[in-house]
Amino acid sequence: MQKDEIIEDLDEKLGSRSSGHDGYDSKKRVSALSKEHQERVRVLQNQNRFLNEEVRRLAKLRGQEHDKMRTLDGRIRGLEGDIEVWKLEYISLIQSSIRFTGSDTMDDAELSLFGGDRHKIRIMSLLEEARRINPSLPTYEHLASGEVHVDCYGFKHQFVDDGLLLHYLCQELSQHFLSQASSHEKHQKNWMIYLKNHAKGVAVNKKDLKSLVRGGIPDQHRKMMWRVFVMAQVEEIVSDKGAHYYRSLCNAVPDSPLAARYRKQISLDLMRTMPSNVKFSTPGSKGIMDLQDVLLAFCLHNPAVGYCQGMNFLVAMALLFMDAQDAFWTLVAVTERYHSPSYFDHNLLGAQADQSVLHDLMAEKLPVLTTHLDAIDIEISTVTLNWFLALFFDAVPFQTLLRIWDVFLLEGPKVLFRFSLAVLHLHSKEIVQKADTISVMRHLKACARISYDADGLVHVAFRTLKPFPRRHDIVSKQTFYLNALKEKYRWRDLQRLALQERENAFQSLDGDPESPRGFECCAVTRPGEAWVVYGSPPLSRICIVDCHEQTMTDTEIVFETRVLSIAAVPGEMVLLGTLDWCVYAYSQNNR
Amino acid sequence: MAAGPYNYSYIFKYIIIGDMGVGKSCLLHQFTEKKFMADCPHTIGVEFGTRIIEVASQKIKLQIWDTAGQERFRAVTRSYYRGAAGALMVYDITRRSTYNHLSSWLTDARNLTNPNTVIFLIGNKCDLDAQRDVTYEEAKQFAEENGLMFLECSAKTGENVEDAFLDTAKKIYQNIQDGSLDLNAAESGVQHKPATPRNPITTDQPPNKENCSC
């Protein structure tokens, strides 16, 4: 543009000159000059075009490079994410290579890793990296020197076996990686939002809360949420008994004969409850005293149930997160609200009935496994009774236990069936391959003990097992089995009473309480009359019981052998068979 | 471990009974693992263990059921007595109450097992002699009166533990040999395994991975 202007300007000047000096020479000079100028303009224009082109080309290249960089950046981020996931999965894989050799306790587990020290080195470098973010993680050296490590819940860990040590480190690392995962961050944020929106009070039967709790209650909120769930269950009892109920029970304990009756049993179990936790490993420590107080107070609160082994585990778990009073209400909630009052009673009726219900649900959801266990005559209750009575305490890894408790305290006992079936579902393939009673049992227990993947377990329990029997179907099954058991025990009690009476009758019959009596057999001879064979080896005697007269009369019939059977036959005869291969016949009238 | 021939000729079923806290689980652990189990939560319901032993150069697999001692768990544990060849009845020599309850445990053992079941009385915690509350002599007399075998043991030190389990097995084996224990009876608590190696998983066919359809 500028050049054009200059050219125009020069043209003008030229024009004015040529008009001024009308001479050929000057014209010629001007035209030469203009030509020269035109030529220069053309060159400059070309140059300009070229440069423009170059600029455009370079800009395009830059754009392309930029795009490339962006994609690469994205890929790197993706890969970094993958590496984090792989670290977690690698650690989980190492965790899952644990095997149980002898019994099913952790003492007898072993970690067999292929590739020599390769995995150990990798685990240690991952640990080092993780410790830069979370310095509270234990070091390998510390644990390898045989020192006791106490985790954030107060559990002591000490290792002799290097494999088990590495396994424990993997456990800690997987918790660390989980806490670093983006999904975890999102979950935490959702909890924050939920609690902010429900600052005035949490509604315990809301759907959004359910899904949050199934994802796990964050450690920092657990204490509060458990309390909220428990209190929602016992609200009525608390308002009925008053705010100082627990204190007053504790005050009444020293003078109570009822508490005295259970004190011995409770004291036997105090140190056998959570010995691996610092809170409960020293006699007379606050944890142990609280545990004792709560259990004794409960005996006064519910004398019909009293103390049942297993309650100690429930209270200790609660005490890890709550004070003694709240732990007491947790025990009340579990024994009287979540479960039916018969759960912990003198025949453990409720807990036993649930085992039959579980068997029914297994037959429905895991038919192959159930058929297999039935065929080899294994009662699943041998393993699962503990899961129900002690809410999976000491059955699953602690982190998984917390997740089960989170869900149980919100949703109630139905989830125990869900989690039980989930554990069995995850391992049924291996179980159906075994046929030896003890090894199947052991495997069943080990399955639960290695359930490290809590998210996976929750997923199976609430998604894979869909459709799950409805709550009221389960309740009606429970009622059915409970009534059947009640009937069974009523009969048993009646029989026992009858036996007792018979014993007494024999005692009074002979008048000699020293000589042991045994009842052999009897036969009804006519309505209201029976011949009863009894005796102490080597003698057998016969007496006649008259129910109308309510009398027992000894006969003179005595055998120097055992009478194995007796039968009344038509014609007023009685036949007796004895151990020495003889059959005797007696007339009912003249013997 | 899962596959392979039987390496034993008999299976004997045992049951361990007795009051709370007498050390039943510790005895089992000492016998199967040869170490004292400290710092372990108590049993609720039933636990189990196995060990293969040798009696008269016959390999015998012991299948041991360890029961919870609290009274109300008897409702559950009673079903495990059925078919036991041996019953180890344990009391704590430092607590007389556990000895006084023996007759009730014995009644259960007699009523719920078969007449040939070998009942072995064990006075546990004999390492705590200073706190002894039950004398050896009276327990011995109780055992004799009731036809029980008897030893004082310590699950902690391991003293006599091996003997109690092995002597029970010897007695059972002797009962088999002299014919007083009928192996064909359903509730004898003893299973005889054929001498020819066979697969314990399936009796007729080798284990087949494709077969599992769960």
Side-chain angles (χ1 to χ4, degrees), chain A residues 102-105 107-108 262 264-265 268-269 272-273 275 305-310 312-313 344-348 352 368-369 377 381-383 385-386 389-390 393-394 428-429 432-438 441-442 445 489 492 496, chain B residues 2 8 11 20-23 29 32-33 35 37 39-50 61-65 68-76 78-80 82 95 111 125 191 200-202 207-209 212-214:
Chain A
S103 65
D104 42 59
T105 60
D107 281 357
D108 302 298
Y262 285 109
K264 183 71 205 166
Q265 287 189 18
L268 274 172
D269 284 345
R272 305 194 293 163
T273 299
V305 172
Y307 171 66
C308 174
Q309 287 191 313
N312 50 331
F313 299 139
F344 294 86
D345 74 1
H346 289 268
N347 284 319
L348 308 174
Q352 288 202 74
V368 176
L369 176 68
D377 202 19
S381 62
T382 307
V383 176
L385 181 74
N386 295 13
L389 272 180
F393 176 83
D394 200 40
S428 60
K429 271 188 189 167
V432 294
Q433 304 235 343
K434 294 181 189 290
D436 170 67
T437 316
I438 296 277
M441 294 283 191
R442 211 172 248 174
K445 283 190 86 177
Y489 282 107
R492 197 171 277 180
R496 197 171 304 149
Chain B
Y8 48 86
I11 298 179
M20 274 172 80
V22 296
H29 196 81
T32 56
E33 310 298 323
K35 57 189 170 198
M37 180 175 67
D39 287 358
C40 206
H42 61 78
T43 311
I44 55 175
V46 181
E47 297 287 336
F48 31 81
T50 62
K61 181 170 178 173
L62 298 185
Q63 193 183 82
I64 309 155
W65 300 84
Q70 199 189 16
E71 177 66 26
R72 65 187 71 186
F73 280 88
R74 285 210 213 183
V76 176
R78 278 201 177 103
S79 63
Y80 294 88
R82 187 170 58 98
R95 277 193 294 139
N111 287 343
K125 309 197 186 177
Q191 291 172 53
I201 292 171
T202 48
N208 185 351
K209 281 206 170 137
C212 72
S213 50
C214 193

Side-chain angles (χ1 to χ4, degrees), chain B residues 13-213:
Chain B
K13 176 181 169 179
Y14 280 18
I15 167 161
I16 311 181
I17 53 176
D19 271 13
M20 274 172 80
V22 296
K24 297 178 290 295
S25 303
C26 290
L27 281 168
L28 172 62
H29 196 81
Q30 176 64 255
F31 177 67
T32 56
E33 310 298 323
K34 298 198 172 69
K35 57 189 170 198
F36 179 58
M37 180 175 67
D39 287 358
C40 206
H42 61 78
T43 311
I44 55 175
V46 181
E47 297 287 336
F48 31 81
T50 62
R51 201 181 121 185
I52 293 175
I53 56 163
E54 209 175 287
V55 171
S57 56
Q58 291 274 10
K59 287 239 164 52
I60 294 167
K61 181 170 178 173
L62 298 185
Q63 193 183 82
I64 309 155
W65 300 84
D66 164 30
T67 61
Q70 199 189 16
E71 177 66 26
R72 65 187 71 186
F73 280 88
R74 285 210 213 183
V76 176
T77 56
R78 278 201 177 103
S79 63
Y80 294 88
Y81 286 66
R82 187 170 58 98
L88 306 182
M89 195 166 71
V90 189
Y91 70 96
D92 173 355
I93 67 152
T94 69
R95 277 193 294 139
R96 176 154 286 277
S97 62
T98 67
Y99 175 80
N100 293 341
H101 292 155
L102 286 177
S103 59
S104 136
W105 289 110
L106 189 59
T107 308
D108 264 8
R110 293 243 197 262
N111 287 343
L112 300 166
T113 61
N114 65 68
N116 281 305
T117 299
V118 174
I119 303 178
F120 201 110
L121 180 65
I122 294 179
N124 192 27
K125 309 197 186 177
C126 72
D127 53 296
L128 302 174
D129 200 50
Q131 297 163 45
R132 180 185 284 277
D133 203 11
V134 182
T135 65
Y136 178 85
E137 289 71 26
E138 60 181 315
K140 180 81 192 154
Q141 195 189 340
F142 174 84
E144 270 164 16
E145 280 168 2
N146 290 285
L148 315 174
M149 299 169 83
F150 171 62
L151 269 180
E152 281 191 351
C153 302
S154 165
K156 193 167 188 177
T157 64
E159 186 184 342
N160 281 346
V161 174
E162 195 85 358
D163 295 304
F165 283 83
L166 293 186
D167 289 356
T168 308
K170 280 178 198 157
K171 180 71 185 155
I172 297 167
Y173 188 72
Q174 194 186 319
N175 287 346
I176 298 171
Q177 294 302 303
D178 66 23
S180 57
L181 185 63
D182 178 10
L183 290 190
N184 296 320
E187 318 250 294
S188 70
V190 174
Q191 291 172 53
H192 189 46
K193 294 292 169 187
T196 42
R198 215 170 54 164
N199 198 302
I201 292 171
T202 48
T203 43
D204 309 313
Q205 67 211 92
N208 185 351
K209 281 206 170 137
E210 275 79 51
N211 264 354
C212 72
S213 50

Side-chain angles (χ1 to χ4, degrees), chain A residues 33-45:
Chain A
L33 206 72
S34 117
K35 229 179 193 164
E36 195 187 310
H37 276 297
Q38 272 173 358
E39 186 60 20
R40 268 181 67 192
V41 167
R42 203 181 53 83
V43 169
L44 283 173
Q45 273 175 337

Side-chain angles (χ1 to χ4, degrees), chain A residues 361 414 417 468-478:
Chain A
L361 299 185
K414 184 188 163 185
F417 293 108
F468 205 78
R470 298 154 70 88
R471 201 173 290 265
H472 71 255
D473 289 337
I474 293 182
V475 170
S476 64
K477 276 181 197 293
Q478 284 173 321

